[in-house]
Amino acid sequence: MSARFVAQRLLHGGLVLWIVATAVFFLFRVIPGDPAAMTLGFDAPPEALAALRAEMGLDKPLHVQYATWLFNLMRWDLGRSATSGNAPVAGLVFPSLWRTLELASLSMLVAISIAVPLGMLAALRVGSTVDQLARVVTTIGFSMPTYVLGIVALVVFAEMIPLLPSAGYVPPAEDLVLHIKYLILPAASVGLVMAARLARFMRAGMLDVLSQDYVRTAYAKGLPGWRVNARHALPNAILAFVTEVGVNFGLLIGGMVVIEQVFTWPGLGWLMIQSTLNRAYDVVQIAVLISAAAFVIVNLLVDLSYGVMDPRIAYE
Amino acid sequence: MGARQLCGVVAVGLCLLMNPYGLLEQHTRAEAAPAPLAGGPAGLPGGQCPKRGGNLIIGQSGEPTSINPHRFGDQNARNIIIAIFSTLVEHDLQTYAIRPSLAQSWSISRDGLDWTFKLRANVKFHDGSDFDAEAAKASLERSMEPASGRTAPLLTRVKSLEAKDALTFVIHLSQPDRILLSTLLDVYMGPAGVTTERLGEAPMGTGPFKFVRWDRNRQVVLERHTNYWRQGLPCLDRLTFRTIPEESVRSQQLRSGQIHLSSSGLLGEMGTLATAGLVLHAPPRGFNLGLYNIHTNTRREPWRRQEVRQALSLALDREAIGRALFGFVQVLSNPMEANKRFFNPQAASYNKRDLDQARQLLAAAGFSGGVDGGDAIVCGLGFQFNIFGQLVQSQAAEAGIRLRLTILDVGTYVARTLGGRRGEYDIAVCAMVPKPDEYDLLNHPYAKLFTQTLGWIDQRREFYDLLDAARSMPGDSAYRQAITELQRIAMEGQAEIIAGGRLDPTPARAYVKNFIPHTQGNVFLEAVWLDR
Amino acid sequence: MSRWARSLSRLRRNVLSLVVIFALAGVVGLAAVAESVAPYGPFAVVAAPVQRPSPAHWLGTDEIGRDVLSRLVVGTRITLMAGLVATLIAVVIGVPMGLVSGYYGRGLDAAMMRITDGLLAFPPIILAMAMVAVLGASLTNTMIAIGIVQIPRFSRLVRAVTLATKQLEYVQAARALGGDDLHIIRRAIFPNVASMVFVQFSLAFATAVLTEAGLSFLGLGAQPPSPSWGLMLDLGRKLLSKNPFYALSAGAAVFLVVLVFTLLGDTLRDLLDPFQTTRPGSAPALTSSG
């Protein structure tokens, strides 16, 4: 893997981020409704709104605002949010990011611990009842909207059988046990659906590898089954699986919006929705950018690790 | 009758003779109230907290946009602000008479142009400094800045402010103003020498609770002001305002005791909450929590035609709307029905649905086959508006008025009714919360902010002229006549259609005692105590 | 035997596939005759609001008193149309993009890949929200938004297949001999691409249905009084304690349609691509449901 390759991927990532940043900046300026009205409420007269808009710096020409924002971004100055009492944007966005990462990581853990054994089992026993059952279960899970599963889970586990507290959040520093209890239902909902998706992929990947020539050769040579699997089939299947996990994780960061809404989990997706509704441009721009950055970074890592793990990969 | 009372009556009588500009009720109260009322707005038995301490957790429907007393946008912010700040005058929570708070008493000059306020002594800010006339003056000045949208437009008649001495504060007006006291209900008192922005970042007032911290997107924490000017209050040690946008989650947390009170509506959940043993606090009898309203864009066809507007109002089945909103709606079409004293029974009423008459009116306007009413935008403030909007559309269709419904998020709704894209609608369905006094019940729906939104000033300029003149009318009978006439014109014109009064109760745990809901949805907590 | 004939014989032997085909026919048929089958109209207020199921109303009534079953049935058409239009938009834009990108390569390819990745990196719900806020909240605009979000799915896949096919000997030969580009694309590359697109189509359809429900659930899609399942899910959820069948039936309906189309995608893959040349993950799964 050459330095040129790494540099190329980094440049690619940077460009993607720039595109996203520009897109979100201009997209949100085009949406009707302005932050001043959201701060003052819809009882505010036009003169008051104009005065507040001037205070917020929204009366400058668009390209000037864009340039200022981009320049500040380079200096790692994420700005202050006029619609949230001038709080620093970093202080709003990063805690939300950690909370989403926490939920995403736990969900992924749940998903992997179910998907890997299930997928492998189905692949090794391809065509059998076990396999058929696995296919049905995973397809059902794959088709279930996470938020529907979330609502059902809430109704069953928080209301009908009051085992767990209903949706909400408490910082781990305040009450670790309660914090974990709040984490269980959303992580399970997302994790189960993700498990279905990953299990299908695991199975297909395993099948693909098992049918490869070199594996068949190993079987033909008379090597015991488990040795074939462990040394030949598994590593390659894992490669593809890791790629898939990585890609899904990156998408999860921005994709957990509805689940965060249902469970009132104050993560990045929830922040993005609230800020969009409140026309808090400054916050939404950074939040979307962070979400995109997470995706880009994860993809970059996956690409790089792919290049390391399998030198046969040829890139354009 | 003792000597004291006699003197009081005589004093009142003399003042009334000499001072025609004082609003009757308020003036009497001011002169007859020498000492701070124990128990404040809510009133406590014996003036003492039966139990002290505790942390009251309030669930709110959203994150406050700010806690700046001059720059806030919604009820979620207001509830926190009224805990931190006091005002010169306040509402009695049972009668809504305006009575003294930080201003102990006031007097008005003969010509109605000078209002002298005697401020209460020994009132301390949260940092220990004294509240005085300079602070009052600074607070008024902040409230008059153009960006202070809630108060500035109502303070346009203020010519100058004067801090005569430490406890005497004078407002000089350019024109007499009957609603000055009502406006002062929203002017929050902060210290002198602080800019509005700074006050928003570090809110400090003389209210019963002081600001501790704001955990963004989670909660705002306040704690007891030990030197609060109302001796013995507040009863609670702490207040926690928690942001819980999902109604079902807020309801679950109420039922499990994770929160103790929900400041925002949980209309669909009231049945479940009642079954779970929660108390549903309703506003005092005769008062509602605001009005469900429909703006009509009278600059567009067919809403330019009075017959079409009247037809829509007649086509509404207000009782069915009430049933669909779980019974928490008061049937009314005249906003003044909420204020019995000034209600004009002669003015047109649309409380009873009449489809035949609606169709006749449409025919009279030339639309006998029905009419395309255009775009009906609905503010997406909650699912009750979803229901309300769908009912308006369905009921209007039965009379022949066809509408296209769009539920908009608040930002876009505001933009199209008040903001940059003002006027891009045919009818706009939402709710409003006027103050309970008779002037605001007319001013808020028709003028104040919505003059250009409705465009009705083009058709009935006399309504707006009379409304403006009424504000400075000297005699009470002339004023009353004006209010009566204004109702007649408003009910005839139906530029603003009132579909009902909101009666959403405030649900709370049974151990939250002495909570009285306010007709504007404000949550006053100084005299609330926890029985546990 | 031709490829298609082989595929059909394989189909007849797979029971699951037959079930899926019948289910698909059922859903589409229901959408076609919806109004005649629905007991009441979808917009008529026929009873008291939020009633539990009764002999007159099998799934009860909704928030203003309309029959839930009728609305559910008529909603099928909206769902299918939303899925179709959104996916068609994604195909019509994404496939040519992928073809051009893969075939011509270099600068054009680089630029398109950046844009595609940018599109993928943007959180789909936020993109849809913003577009809807700009264009106005309506079903049409939501379909456009969802379609745009799905473009990368097709452009990436098509690009990958184009690249692979381009390497084949006979294609290289044709190009070297100066063959007409359009001709080469049409005869050599497109047939390979087509079968992949077919498979992805039904999976993308499923995702579109999920996303539309999600967006309507957030208030960004179809507007009331439209009987969109997403809208019904949202309102029904708030009235869960009063008439649980309102929300549950809408949720079940979304789930079933998505299931049918996902299984259809699997079936098509088994038919057209039995050797799994494209693995399920080769076009990244868009988590727009979550």
Side-chain angles (χ1 to χ4, degrees):
Chain A
M1 192 174 62
S2 59
R4 195 187 98 119
F5 173 66
V6 176
Q8 213 181 42
R9 303 314 291 165
L10 278 173
L11 187 64
H12 178 99
L15 271 170
V16 169
L17 280 179
W18 177 76
I19 290 176
V20 172
T22 311
V24 70
F25 183 90
F26 286 102
L27 194 58
F28 278 85
R29 292 293 187 279
V30 183
I31 300 182
D34 76 296
M38 296 319 295
T39 311
L40 289 181
F42 59 110
D43 300 61
E47 310 84 55
L49 294 175
L52 192 58
R53 235 175 277 136
E55 270 182 34
M56 288 176 168
L58 290 171
D59 52 346
K60 301 203 191 73
L62 215 56
H63 56 274
V64 172
Q65 288 186 49
Y66 175 63
T68 323
W69 179 65
L70 218 54
F71 180 64
N72 284 335
L73 217 55
M74 303 288 187
R75 286 172 23 208
W76 209 244
D77 173 11
L78 298 176
R80 294 179 159 268
S81 172
T83 42
S84 301
N86 261 339
V89 174
L92 290 171
V93 173
F94 283 109
S96 301
L97 177 65
W98 308 142
R99 290 190 282 261
T100 295
L101 282 176
E102 187 187 7
L103 188 55
S105 309
L106 193 61
S107 307
M108 204 44 109
L109 212 66
V110 167
I112 293 176
S113 42
I114 297 177
V116 170
L118 190 63
M120 276 180 64
L121 197 64
L124 292 171
R125 307 261 182 278
V126 67
S128 71
T129 339
V130 174
D131 179 31
Q132 299 271 32
L133 203 65
R135 287 190 72 181
V136 167
V137 167
T138 53
T139 312
I140 289 178
F142 185 78
S143 316
M144 173 72 76
T146 48
Y147 48 93
V148 170
L149 191 61
I151 294 169
V152 171
L154 259 181
V155 170
V156 170
F157 290 105
E159 268 194 82
M160 290 176 26
I161 322 165
L163 211 65
L164 291 162
S166 73
Y169 174 81
V170 91
E174 211 174 283
D175 187 341
L176 187 61
V177 175
L178 192 58
H179 174 85
I180 293 177
K181 280 189 181 171
Y182 275 131
L183 205 45
I184 294 177
L185 282 178
S189 304
V190 178
L192 283 173
V193 173
M194 186 67 55
R197 184 168 293 148
L198 290 177
R200 278 160 64 88
F201 188 79
M202 186 74 195
R203 176 185 172 277
M206 279 288 283
L207 277 179
D208 188 60
V209 165
L210 283 173
S211 66
Q212 296 282 358
D213 288 340
Y214 65 93
V215 174
R216 285 205 238 119
T217 314
Y219 274 122
K221 268 161 69 177
L223 286 169
W226 64 267
R227 246 181 109 181
V228 179
N229 292 336
R231 296 192 76 197
H232 297 276
L234 211 48
N236 284 294
I238 283 184
L239 180 68
F241 186 74
V242 163
T243 316
E244 188 64 11
V245 167
V247 167
N248 272 299
F249 192 82
L251 284 166
L252 206 55
I253 310 245
M256 284 216 297
V257 169
V258 186
I259 269 285
E260 286 183 8
Q261 193 82 344
V262 170
F263 285 97
T264 323
W265 186 262
L268 201 59
W270 191 86
L271 183 68
M272 284 194 277
I273 295 246
Q274 297 300 315
S275 309
T276 306
L277 291 176
N278 288 334
R279 304 292 191 266
Y281 298 153
D282 4 37
V283 180
V284 117
Q285 280 156 196
I286 303 291
V288 168
L289 203 55
I290 297 233
S291 166
F295 176 81
V296 165
I297 290 173
V298 167
N299 271 318
L300 189 69
L301 289 173
V302 164
D303 277 349
L304 293 178
S305 64
Y306 214 72
V308 163
M309 281 197 265
D310 190 349
R312 291 178 299 151
I313 305 295
Y315 275 82
E316 276 274 296
Chain B
M1 200 192 272
R4 203 132 170 254
Q5 280 98 328
L6 191 61
C7 287
V9 168
V10 167
V12 166
L14 283 173
C15 288
L16 281 176
L17 281 174
M18 295 192 295
N19 228 325
Y21 284 100
L23 279 166
L24 219 65
E25 283 281 304
Q26 289 87 329
H27 204 69
T28 316
R29 288 280 155 129
E31 300 295 40
L37 282 159
L44 281 172
Q48 290 289 340
C49 291
K51 266 198 188 140
R52 299 193 151 278
N55 176 12
L56 182 70
I57 307 179
I58 303 114
Q60 305 219 101
S61 66
E63 178 83 339
T65 44
S66 85
I67 40 179
N68 187 324
H70 306 290
R71 299 270 193 284
F72 65 93
D74 60 347
Q75 196 58 43
N76 294 323
R78 195 199 274 278
N79 290 336
I80 298 171
I81 289 167
I82 60 183
I84 300 176
F85 294 93
S86 305
T87 48
L88 289 175
V89 292
E90 66 187 15
H91 271 144
D92 176 311
L93 282 185
Q94 298 286 358
T95 64
Y96 293 97
I98 296 182
R99 63 182 195 187
S101 179
L102 287 184
Q104 200 164 323
S105 66
W106 51 89
S107 60
I108 311 163
S109 66
R110 210 174 179 162
D111 56 5
L113 297 178
D114 302 308
W115 291 61
T116 309
F117 293 86
K118 282 261 177 288
L119 302 177
R120 207 175 290 280
N122 286 322
V123 175
K124 303 278 181 200
F125 278 103
H126 297 147
D127 67 354
S129 59
D130 284 318
F131 168 70
D132 60 9
E134 285 296 335
K137 177 163 181 251
S139 304
L140 249 298
E141 279 164 358
R142 284 188 291 261
S143 301
M144 291 182 350
E145 286 166 9
S148 302
R150 285 184 179 270
T151 43
L154 295 170
L155 291 170
T156 47
R157 292 183 184 195
V158 173
K159 196 171 63 181
S160 67
L161 303 163
E162 192 190 337
K164 245 192 183 152
D165 59 53
L167 291 178
T168 310
F169 170 60
V170 186
I171 300 180
H172 300 284
L173 300 173
S174 55
Q175 259 185 292
D177 190 355
R178 291 184 87 104
I179 66 167
L180 182 64
L181 282 181
S182 171
T183 307
L184 288 175
L185 287 168
D186 290 333
V187 174
Y188 297 100
M189 294 288 131
V194 162
T195 61
T196 312
E197 289 68 41
R198 188 80 196 101
L199 191 59
E201 285 164 29
M204 189 191 66
T206 59
F209 296 92
K210 60 180 160 187
F211 176 72
V212 173
R213 68 172 192 274
W214 184 353
D215 300 325
R216 299 283 164 176
N217 292 319
R218 229 203 117 207
Q219 61 189 12
V220 176
V221 179
L222 308 179
E223 75 183 9
R224 172 164 202 270
H225 176 35
T226 41
N227 234 335
Y228 185 47
W229 60 269
R230 280 216 168 92
Q231 309 273 341
L233 291 187
C235 307
L236 297 162
D237 275 342
R238 275 187 142 203
L239 290 182
T240 308
F241 290 86
R242 215 159 265 176
T243 302
I244 307 171
E246 273 295 307
E247 289 197 359
S248 57
V249 175
R250 216 158 55 239
S251 163
Q252 275 169 341
Q253 294 208 4
L254 252 185
R255 276 178 279 141
S256 66
Q258 288 166 278
I259 63 175
H260 308 133
L261 184 147
S262 171
S263 67
S264 332
L266 289 173
L267 271 196
E269 305 275 333
M270 289 303 171
T272 323
L273 293 171
T275 321
L278 281 116
V279 179
L280 307 180
H281 296 275
R285 207 139 55 99
F287 290 96
N288 54 50
L289 251 59
L291 306 166
Y292 287 109
N293 71 285
I294 302 173
H295 296 321
T296 62
N297 191 347
T298 63
R299 293 202 171 105
R300 282 194 183 180
E301 296 291 348
W303 303 102
R304 191 195 305 269
R305 314 292 303 272
Q306 183 169 282
E307 296 91 341
V308 176
R309 302 194 298 262
Q310 289 172 338
L312 178 60
S313 197
L314 276 173
L316 290 181
D317 185 350
R318 290 170 172 80
E319 273 161 36
I321 293 175
R323 281 193 302 272
L325 291 175
F326 311 99
F328 295 117
V329 172
Q330 178 188 2
V331 170
L332 52 81
S333 47
N334 182 346
M336 206 61 69
E337 271 169 88
N339 185 324
K340 293 283 179 293
R341 287 180 50 229
F342 284 87
F343 177 58
N344 175 5
Q346 253 56 51
S349 169
Y350 303 80
N351 291 359
K352 192 115 180 45
R353 186 186 207 200
D354 193 339
L355 279 176
D356 292 319
Q357 231 219 312
R359 293 194 192 106
Q360 275 172 25
L361 281 165
L362 285 176
F367 301 117
S368 35
V371 65
D372 178 11
D375 290 316
I377 62 175
V378 180
C379 61
L381 282 175
F383 90 110
Q384 70 216 71
F385 292 96
N386 197 317
I387 296 177
F388 178 33
Q390 290 192 71
L391 280 172
V392 168
Q393 190 210 33
S394 146
Q395 290 165 0
E398 286 176 58
I401 305 174
R402 295 180 295 277
L403 295 162
R404 274 183 308 280
L405 210 59
T406 313
I407 311 243
L408 297 174
D409 67 282
V410 180
T412 315
Y413 178 85
V414 170
R416 284 168 69 168
T417 49
L418 287 173
R421 283 164 64 173
R422 176 167 52 206
E424 276 183 40
Y425 74 98
D426 289 288
I427 68 169
V429 177
C430 201
M432 54 173 60
V433 188
K435 292 190 226 180
D437 61 84
E438 71 289 342
Y439 191 84
D440 211 53
L441 283 170
L442 285 167
N443 193 18
H444 192 110
Y446 286 92
K448 231 158 136 184
L449 310 155
F450 301 122
T451 312
Q452 293 308 321
T453 308
L454 299 172
W456 195 49
I457 191 169
D458 299 342
Q459 284 184 20
R460 299 282 249 171
R461 170 124 230 149
E462 70 265 26
F463 177 86
Y464 290 86
D465 290 339
L466 184 56
L467 191 61
D468 205 47
R471 203 167 146 182
S472 355
M473 272 180 192
D476 279 338
S477 62
Y479 179 69
R480 185 177 275 280
Q481 255 185 347
I483 299 288
T484 305
E485 175 65 6
L486 285 167
Q487 283 174 68
R488 189 194 66 75
I489 306 175
M491 294 311 289
E492 184 187 58
Q494 289 296 288
E496 183 79 72
I497 299 174
I498 306 295
R502 301 175 66 176
L503 295 174
D504 314 9
T506 307
R509 306 281 315 176
Y511 44 74
V512 176
K513 300 290 188 197
N514 203 20
F515 172 72
I516 300 179
H518 183 269
T519 184
Q520 284 175 279
N522 299 338
V523 167
F524 288 104
L525 295 168
E526 65 177 12
V528 166
W529 53 283
L530 285 174
D531 188 9
R532 40 176 353 195
Chain C
M1 263 212 281
S2 77
R3 190 197 232 179
W4 289 102
R6 254 182 281 142
S7 306
L8 276 168
S9 72
R10 231 181 283 133
L11 174 66
R12 257 183 282 125
R13 279 177 298 189
N14 190 333
V15 176
L16 188 62
S17 313
L18 282 173
V19 170
V20 167
I21 302 288
F22 274 116
L24 183 66
V27 171
V28 173
L30 191 65
V33 298
E35 254 100 22
S36 352
V37 170
Y40 305 86
F43 304 114
V45 176
V46 289
V50 208
Q51 298 290 302
R52 293 204 162 220
S54 66
H57 301 280
W58 291 1
L59 290 170
T61 59
D62 71 1
E63 68 275 6
I64 68 169
R66 294 171 296 217
D67 180 44
V68 173
L69 180 60
S70 308
R71 285 173 69 77
L72 200 69
V73 165
V74 175
T76 317
R77 185 178 300 150
I78 296 176
T79 307
L80 291 187
M81 207 183 56
L84 191 68
V85 171
T87 316
L88 275 176
I89 291 175
V91 166
V92 161
I93 300 180
V95 169
M97 245 179 99
L99 277 172
V100 164
S101 192
Y103 192 79
Y104 290 107
R106 265 175 296 173
L108 202 55
D109 179 29
M112 286 204 174
M113 283 315 287
R114 304 286 182 276
I115 296 175
T116 309
D117 283 351
L119 209 56
L120 264 178
F122 211 107
I125 299 272
I126 303 298
L127 186 61
M129 268 184 95
M131 276 197 271
V132 159
V134 172
L135 300 170
S138 74
L139 190 59
T140 326
N141 294 333
T142 314
M143 294 193 285
I144 296 174
I146 299 174
I148 292 180
V149 163
Q150 299 267 49
I151 286 174
R153 186 183 208 127
F154 289 97
S155 69
R156 274 191 160 196
L157 171 68
V158 168
R159 176 179 176 271
V161 174
T162 310
L163 281 175
T165 317
K166 207 169 73 162
Q167 312 283 15
L168 293 174
E169 282 175 359
Y170 71 93
V171 176
Q172 287 189 339
R175 286 182 90 186
L177 289 171
D180 169 33
D181 281 338
L182 208 62
H183 187 85
I184 295 176
I185 291 177
R186 201 159 55 85
R187 296 298 297 282
I189 300 182
F190 198 73
N192 281 349
V193 162
S195 42
M196 302 309 149
V197 169
F198 252 119
V199 172
Q200 278 303 316
F201 192 98
S202 65
L203 294 175
F205 193 104
T207 312
V209 167
L210 267 177
T211 314
E212 188 274 324
L215 285 174
S216 295
F217 180 80
L218 289 173
L220 300 168
Q223 289 298 308
S226 167
S228 147
W229 292 344
L231 267 179
M232 291 172 70
L233 196 60
D234 181 33
L235 272 167
R237 180 174 66 101
K238 302 194 162 101
L239 301 169
L240 213 51
S241 46
K242 293 198 153 48
N243 180 7
F245 290 87
Y246 186 12
L248 291 175
S249 59
V254 172
F255 166 60
L256 285 171
V257 168
V258 172
L259 186 65
V260 165
F261 277 91
T262 309
L263 287 174
L264 180 68
D266 280 358
T267 309
L268 284 173
R269 183 183 294 123
D270 286 346
L271 285 180
L272 300 170
D273 184 27
F275 298 105
Q276 309 273 343
T277 51
T278 45
R279 286 185 233 111
S282 57
L286 291 166
T287 330
S288 36
S289 62

